[in-house]
Amino acid sequence: MAQYDFKNVEKKWQDIWDKNKTFECTEDYSKPKFYALVEFPYPSGAGMHVGHIKAYSGLEVVSRKRRLEGYNVLFPIGFDAFGLPTENYAIKTNTHPRQVTDNNIEKFTSQLRRVGFSFDWSKVVDTTQEDYYKWTQWIFLKMFENNLVFRDKTLVNYCPHCKVVLSNEDSQGGKCDICHSDIVQKSKDVWYLRITEYADKLLEGLKEVDYLPNIKLQQENWIGKSTGAFVNFAVNGTDEKLKIYTTRPDTLFGVTFMVMAPEHPLIDKYADMIGNMDEVEAYRDMCSKKSAFERTQLVKDKTGVKLSGFTATNPVNGKEVPIYISDYVMMGYGTGAIMAVPAHDQRDYEFAKKFGIDIIEVIKGGDIGVEAYTGDGEMVNSGFLNGMTNKKDSIEKMAEHLQAEGIGEKGVQYKMNDWAFNRQRYWGEPIPIVHCPHCGIVPVPYEELPLRLPEVENFEPGTDGESPLAKIDSYVNCTCPKCGKPAKRETDTMPQWAGSSWYFLRYIDPHNTETFADKDKLKYWMPVDWYNGGMEHVTRHLIYSRFWYKFLYDLGEVPVSEPYAKRTAQGLILGPDGEKMSKSKGNVVDPNEVVDEFGADVLRAYVLFMGDYEKAAPWSETAVKGCKRFIDRVWGMLDIATDGDAYSKELESSFHKTIKKVSSDIENLKYNTAIAALMTLTNEIYAKGAINKAELKTFITLLNPFAPHITEEMWEKLGFDGMLNQTSWPVYDEAKCVDNEIEIAVQINGKVREKLVIAAEANADEAIAAAKSLEKIAEAINGMTIVKELYVKGRLVNIVVKP
């Protein structure tokens, strides 16, 4: 047989699959379904990288296996194409974002097809197309109708370089997610989605799904539910109450000061009472130049200003406590004020030490002369709690006291904030809202959707963080849908996360013009059976999309309560140097070059063979060549193929064991060991020097999900009916997975002297007799007295002797 010509073979089969629409799902709803979902790519100008290949290859293998198992498989792909990177590139190259997006999608599509992924290309979505974002806007309006959308002036995370407001999620570590510049705080009107209303539902839903434990934990931590109490501290000389939230109401007797956010409205309201407002204003100005991340870092110098003449009263002991402002308290977190117990909180302790504030121990067990004591212990200096040693009981007793005295109540808080949902950029979904001087905020009528993004030449952001759309009078000036008088359109656009929050629903019915998806189709296909993606998206995207979906579920628009039955994640592919791939390091591997040199099947096999799928692994050119040799050896089996319609006696057990292992490993993301099992079987086949057609049929079927091009070609050359992708997945016989013979150790006085191959079912007498007949063992025991003979079934024979 001639050498394997991967270039022609791969192109041939890709054309056949495309022409025959081989991987399109069917409308036959009597079949069992399998909906496999991968995170759709952001189509950047750089094109695909090997990380994309690994991310998609896992469920690509599962999807091909499911089709061979008789499932109706939906395995779609699309493009998450709105967002800053495209717009920034468009500005840089003076090309319209629409053109940039179309070019990038074309490039990605060609690369995906070249690798031979079995995507259903009839279901492609592009979040920037009007027939898609019409329904993104529709869902937004439904949320607006249901009081889940609101507008508020607040301090926001602002990127001066991108000229855009960012959510906390998009500015972690005080850096812009897009350009990595430092972000600053800016006061601005912001649209929010009330995701906190769904916090409990999002937590409860985690009990229904099969997510990796780490993914569940990250979601739980992100939502950050805590139980505690709200406590009201009277502000002296006013009728105001300063409301705080604490998870440790049992420590209230230890409160010696309070801290408010520098932006707290009570400061402006009672500015006349505060004797040092100049100092306060100077401190506020300093805080405005810091990001939320910088302000809330634990390891930093403690700064603050004591409010002169402005104090509060501790409600449980009547003591007057000073009030400070400090940057680490934010208006957007909790109530914008905290109580401070320096004896039992290290940050409060450091603040108290710096400003000379009293430190009162209320829990025994530490040395507050040295540091805060954060452990458990007996309550002291705490009135009615004194002597109590159980933290839970102390918290409960104080909570009951607060309730009874009308000075507080039990409460729940979440670390997760409401979702800042607008961007001051052009390339995003227009927010379908009108601002009317008479009617206020008015939604665009549903029948006017989509509210189209206007064609513009100048899409650069404004210098003050205003959207480019604000410059287009023909877009801004409109008529109020309610009263018919002149009004103005909202000029901010939605964040990139909007389109990706529901794309898995549109895949099900992407061309429907009447609704986002037909209900019968949703009922058949939902939930997504298996969703795979990066760990970097298991908080933001996964939480946002679950929120949108649960909202639609509450409206009765979708059939089940959770969108994803199962969620897994792949590890990164590192550069050959073991570092994360980046252009600046020069360690990026281009998948096109691998396909050019070795073929798509080698690339597909290697990204799954390189290590544990869920862990990071470095790229190795040597190992790629190893996979190429494996593929070539598989092709070489055509030269040693013989007739035969059943497994040969020599290979029967190996084939059944391999079917079992590959089948199981695919389901458990152990793709590397599945391929290793096929490599081991290859060695056995070559050791025998022959493989019959029945065996080769099974072998190429098992390999097909990993290397579909070569296996389809071999199927055709062997003269089997139809195409390989139309056959059935092999089945194994458990009884034939058991070895007929096993290798055991033979010991003398506990030391291994020899190995012995015996029948798996041999009894002790047979095993010991066989051991004694071995030449080495016979010599060793000759002339010795046998004290004891022992057979540990399936493992060893031990003969104890003495002279």
Side-chain angles (χ1 to χ4, degrees):
M1 183 68 62
Q3 189 177 4
Y4 178 49
D5 178 9
F6 66 83
K7 290 193 174 175
N8 285 321
V9 168
E10 289 179 353
K11 178 74 169 65
K12 166 187 167 180
W13 286 103
Q14 287 163 16
D15 289 346
I16 290 171
W17 296 331
D18 199 32
K19 183 184 174 186
N20 293 345
K21 300 180 178 177
T22 300
F23 304 116
E24 289 187 13
C25 61
T26 74
E27 299 284 314
D28 181 0
Y29 295 168
S30 66
K31 291 177 75 174
K33 66 92 179 178
F34 182 71
Y35 185 176
L37 182 68
V38 291
E39 289 173 347
F40 61 169
Y42 185 88
S44 69
M48 282 197 337
H49 53 76
V50 286
H52 287 107
I53 309 297
K54 182 176 179 182
Y56 306 152
S57 292
L59 285 186
E60 156 75 357
V61 166
V62 176
S63 295
R64 283 183 178 270
K65 176 173 178 274
R66 285 288 186 280
R67 292 189 191 97
L68 297 176
E69 290 171 326
Y71 284 80
N72 187 11
V73 174
L74 173 58
F75 185 39
I77 194 68
F79 300 96
D80 187 15
F82 271 133
L84 286 173
T86 294
E87 189 170 331
N88 288 342
Y89 181 80
I91 292 167
K92 189 177 170 184
T93 59
N94 198 28
T95 314
H96 195 279
R98 172 78 273 154
Q99 188 59 51
V100 172
T101 298
D102 291 345
N103 292 346
N104 291 351
I105 287 176
E106 189 179 336
K107 185 174 183 178
F108 259 72
T109 300
S110 140
Q111 289 176 321
L112 288 166
R113 286 181 179 274
R114 199 169 170 227
V115 179
F117 286 120
S118 63
F119 292 127
D120 182 341
W121 290 100
S122 71
K123 301 285 195 234
V124 173
V125 299
D126 166 3
T127 58
T128 68
Q129 293 293 343
E130 291 172 3
D131 62 354
Y132 183 92
Y133 72 71
K134 168 184 178 177
W135 299 106
T136 309
Q137 292 173 333
W138 183 89
I139 296 169
F140 176 88
L141 288 181
K142 286 293 177 188
M143 287 188 165
F144 183 85
E145 257 180 44
N146 286 273
N147 199 32
L148 288 175
V149 177
F150 69 99
R151 203 163 185 244
D152 195 14
K153 188 177 274 296
T154 187
L155 281 176
V156 295
N157 304 312
Y158 181 74
C159 174
H161 181 265
C162 293
K163 297 173 183 171
V164 68
V165 172
L166 299 168
S167 69
N168 291 332
E169 293 85 350
D170 293 332
S171 54
Q172 296 179 74
K175 302 280 185 185
C176 171
D177 244 17
I178 307 300
C179 70
H180 308 297
S181 301
D182 290 335
I183 59 112
V184 296
Q185 295 280 289
K186 191 179 178 83
S187 181
K188 190 151 184 59
D189 282 324
V190 173
W191 286 102
Y192 286 99
L193 298 190
R194 228 182 282 270
I195 191 172
T196 51
E197 290 286 315
Y198 274 74
D200 280 326
K201 287 182 179 179
L202 290 168
L203 283 172
E204 283 299 307
L206 292 175
K207 296 173 184 173
E208 302 171 26
V209 293
D210 177 16
Y211 291 2
L212 293 173
N214 189 26
I215 293 176
K216 281 191 180 183
L217 183 63
Q218 285 203 38
Q219 294 222 342
E220 287 164 359
N221 290 343
W222 192 268
I223 296 165
K225 182 177 182 178
S226 67
T227 56
F230 290 101
V231 187
N232 297 313
F233 284 70
V235 179
N236 297 323
T238 75
D239 294 330
E240 302 285 353
K241 301 278 193 246
L242 200 51
K243 190 176 190 178
I244 63 93
Y245 174 80
T246 177
T247 58
R248 294 299 303 270
D250 55 321
T251 64
L252 265 162
F253 282 97
V255 173
T256 57
F257 66 101
M258 301 187 76
V259 185
M260 294 166 66
E263 307 81 16
H264 202 292
L266 284 186
I267 296 171
D268 294 312
K269 186 173 180 180
Y270 293 101
D272 292 346
M273 287 177 60
I274 299 169
N276 57 337
M277 276 303 292
D278 288 348
E279 192 181 357
V280 168
E281 292 296 355
Y283 186 76
R284 281 175 152 182
D285 185 57
M286 182 184 78
C287 292
S288 70
K289 296 179 174 68
K290 293 182 181 180
S291 68
F293 175 77
E294 289 172 307
R295 286 179 59 170
T296 54
Q297 271 184 304
L298 285 172
V299 184
K300 69 180 182 74
D301 288 336
K302 303 297 178 283
T303 64
V305 175
K306 183 180 180 181
L307 300 180
S308 177
F310 199 67
T311 60
T313 296
N314 186 330
V316 297
N317 60 14
K319 288 185 179 178
E320 186 176 18
V321 291
I323 302 174
Y324 289 75
I325 57 170
S326 183
D327 59 358
Y328 72 85
V329 179
M330 309 273 292
M331 276 309 297
Y333 293 79
T335 63
I338 64 159
M339 69 178 210
V341 185
H344 305 291
D345 179 280
Q346 192 59 31
R347 180 155 58 180
D348 294 347
Y349 183 88
E350 289 166 11
F351 194 94
K353 282 290 187 185
K354 177 166 182 176
F355 289 94
I357 306 169
D358 291 344
I359 299 174
I360 298 172
E361 180 183 57
V362 291
I363 303 171
K364 259 180 163 177
D367 181 357
I368 61 168
V370 177
E371 62 181 354
Y373 175 62
T374 56
D376 296 341
E378 181 185 343
M379 300 300 298
V380 293
N381 301 319
S382 295
F384 58 86
L385 297 181
N386 282 342
M388 295 185 73
T389 56
N390 184 294
K391 181 171 80 173
K392 190 177 176 186
D393 292 345
S394 301
I395 290 172
E396 183 61 30
K397 189 167 184 179
M398 178 58 83
E400 289 170 0
H401 173 77
L402 294 172
Q403 195 92 33
E405 296 296 318
I407 52 176
E409 60 188 348
K410 290 181 182 177
V412 173
Q413 282 275 76
Y414 301 92
K415 194 166 74 178
M416 178 174 70
N417 292 326
D418 284 323
W419 178 5
F421 196 71
N422 52 325
R423 302 289 181 267
Q424 295 68 46
R425 297 298 290 251
Y426 170 71
W427 197 236
E429 300 91 343
I431 293 177
I433 292 291
V434 168
H435 298 278
C436 174
H438 306 283
C439 307
I441 293 172
V442 181
V444 169
Y446 289 104
E447 60 271 18
E448 291 182 19
L449 298 181
L451 172 60
R452 291 175 173 83
L453 201 55
E455 290 284 335
V456 295
E457 288 184 16
N458 178 16
F459 39 82
E460 290 200 24
T463 52
D464 58 352
E466 198 173 52
S467 166
L469 296 179
K471 303 177 213 165
I472 307 169
D473 290 342
S474 60
Y475 177 78
V476 174
N477 297 320
C478 64
T479 301
C480 173
K482 203 169 179 182
C483 70
K485 293 178 181 175
K488 293 190 181 294
R489 288 196 193 284
E490 173 60 54
T491 57
D492 284 358
T493 52
M494 298 185 197
Q496 187 185 334
W497 303 104
S500 62
S501 290
W502 71 281
Y503 73 111
F504 52 93
L505 296 171
R506 189 62 174 171
Y507 277 147
I508 289 169
D509 197 9
H511 310 297
N512 196 321
T513 57
E514 302 304 313
T515 181
F516 65 82
D518 177 81
K519 287 207 171 175
D520 287 338
K521 292 181 180 180
L522 287 168
K523 191 174 179 182
Y524 175 70
W525 285 110
M526 289 301 291
V528 172
D529 293 284
W530 192 337
Y531 190 10
N532 186 77
M535 281 302 292
E536 69 275 17
H537 293 138
V538 302
T539 49
R540 290 177 283 184
H541 159 66
L542 210 59
I543 286 177
Y544 292 162
S545 58
R546 289 181 61 226
F547 162 49
W548 277 45
Y549 182 85
K550 282 182 170 294
F551 166 69
L552 291 172
Y553 177 72
D554 287 346
L555 291 187
E557 295 288 345
V558 289
V560 290
S561 62
E562 280 288 335
Y564 319 120
K566 180 175 183 173
R567 167 73 189 208
T568 53
Q570 76 281 348
L572 293 173
I573 295 183
L574 305 174
D577 55 0
E579 299 289 325
K580 190 172 178 180
M581 287 189 189
S582 73
K583 285 181 187 173
S584 61
K585 288 177 186 167
N587 64 353
V588 174
V589 176
D590 183 347
N592 293 310
E593 292 175 5
V594 181
V595 173
D596 287 341
E597 187 174 354
F598 301 108
D601 282 342
V602 171
L603 173 63
R604 291 168 60 112
Y606 173 64
V607 297
L608 294 179
F609 180 63
M610 66 192 303
D612 185 331
Y613 187 69
E614 297 172 74
K615 294 193 171 111
W619 186 269
S620 164
E621 192 75 16
T622 305
V624 176
K625 290 174 181 172
C627 283
K628 175 71 167 75
R629 284 193 297 274
F630 167 60
I631 293 294
D632 287 341
R633 291 186 85 203
V634 171
W635 181 254
M637 289 182 192
L638 290 171
D639 292 331
I640 56 171
T642 62
D643 287 334
D645 55 10
Y647 300 140
S648 63
K649 185 173 181 295
E650 301 95 316
L651 293 175
E652 182 177 48
S653 177
S654 294
F655 264 93
H656 282 278
K657 284 193 284 187
T658 304
I659 295 167
K660 181 180 180 180
K661 178 154 184 61
V662 171
S663 301
S664 169
D665 282 354
I666 287 173
E667 300 303 323
N668 293 295
L669 289 90
K670 296 183 184 300
Y671 308 114
N672 56 330
T673 55
I675 294 169
L678 289 167
M679 289 176 171
T680 300
L681 184 55
T682 300
N683 290 338
E684 289 186 47
I685 290 163
Y686 273 95
K688 183 189 173 192
I691 178 170
N692 69 38
K693 279 193 172 183
E695 292 164 340
L696 192 45
K697 185 177 189 179
T698 293
F699 185 94
I700 60 175
T701 305
L702 292 174
L703 181 60
N704 175 260
F706 302 95
H709 307 89
I710 188 173
T711 48
E712 284 281 13
E713 183 72 7
M714 289 174 72
W715 181 276
E716 184 180 76
K717 285 193 176 298
L718 288 161
F720 297 134
D721 292 339
M723 290 193 292
L724 194 161
N725 61 71
Q726 297 166 327
T727 192
S728 297
W729 187 253
V731 292
Y732 63 89
D733 182 342
E734 185 65 54
K736 290 175 180 174
C737 291
V738 179
D739 288 320
N740 295 323
E741 294 185 323
I742 53 171
E743 185 179 73
I744 64 169
V746 181
Q747 299 177 342
I748 295 179
N749 293 343
K751 289 187 178 178
V752 176
R753 295 294 185 88
E754 186 63 286
K755 300 281 187 181
L756 171 66
V757 175
I758 60 168
E761 296 306 313
N763 60 33
D765 290 342
E766 291 166 338
I768 291 165
K772 285 176 169 180
S773 70
L774 293 170
E775 188 177 340
K776 255 190 187 180
I777 302 302
E779 285 176 9
I781 64 174
N782 185 33
M784 306 290 279
T785 303
I786 295 176
V787 178
K788 189 177 182 183
E789 297 172 334
L790 175 73
Y791 174 50
V792 180
K793 191 171 177 65
R795 288 182 55 205
L796 60 87
V797 168
N798 185 25
I799 303 169
V800 181
V801 298
K802 67 180 182 180

